[in-house]
Amino acid sequence: MLIILKKLYTKKQGKNVNIIICDTDATYDFYGKKFTTLPKSIETIHNNTGIFGYILGNFSKKIGPTPLASTVKCDVERLIKLCAIAEKSQVENTNTFFETVYNMKTTFDTDYNKVTPALLNTITHIPAVIIRF
């Protein structure tokens, strides 16, 4: 899907565009091995580590948000830095930033699985960030 979006935009706009999909859930480093508790990530990050990843995360270095997919061909550290730039922009330019889906429970006073697009439309948020580099 990412490649299709990239090709469609590049063809229509005549611009060379890459797409990175990031999640604010952390990527950790433990003795040079990168991992996340998320079920999906880019290939170089071990994912779906479950409770083991959660526990290991307490003893590891948090290195930034998790890149889930990317059309950019570069090292994982650079992708994580780009995700961190996007996350910082979202934090600094919104009145409500959700670190995780569970933070929505407090803001919306409802269970996280009952958050609807209508509820999200009641707050200022930035679902996408464009970075030129």
Side-chain angles (χ1 to χ4, degrees), residues 47-111:
N47 57 41
N48 208 20
T49 55
I51 190 71
F52 177 74
Y54 176 78
I55 293 168
L56 189 59
N58 290 308
F59 303 100
S60 303
K61 179 182 176 187
K62 180 180 175 180
I63 55 176
T66 302
L68 303 179
S70 175
T71 62
V72 177
K73 302 297 180 204
C74 65
D75 61 70
V76 67
E77 287 83 10
R78 186 165 190 189
L79 284 176
I80 292 170
K81 285 179 185 176
L82 290 168
C83 290
I85 290 168
E87 180 179 80
K88 182 179 179 192
S89 174
Q90 290 176 319
V91 169
E92 293 177 353
N93 295 294
T94 61
N95 60 1
T96 307
F97 176 75
F98 301 118
E99 183 74 28
T100 69
V101 69
Y102 301 105
N103 300 115
M104 294 180 186
K105 288 175 71 169
T106 304
T107 301
F108 296 124
D109 194 27
T110 188
D111 205 1

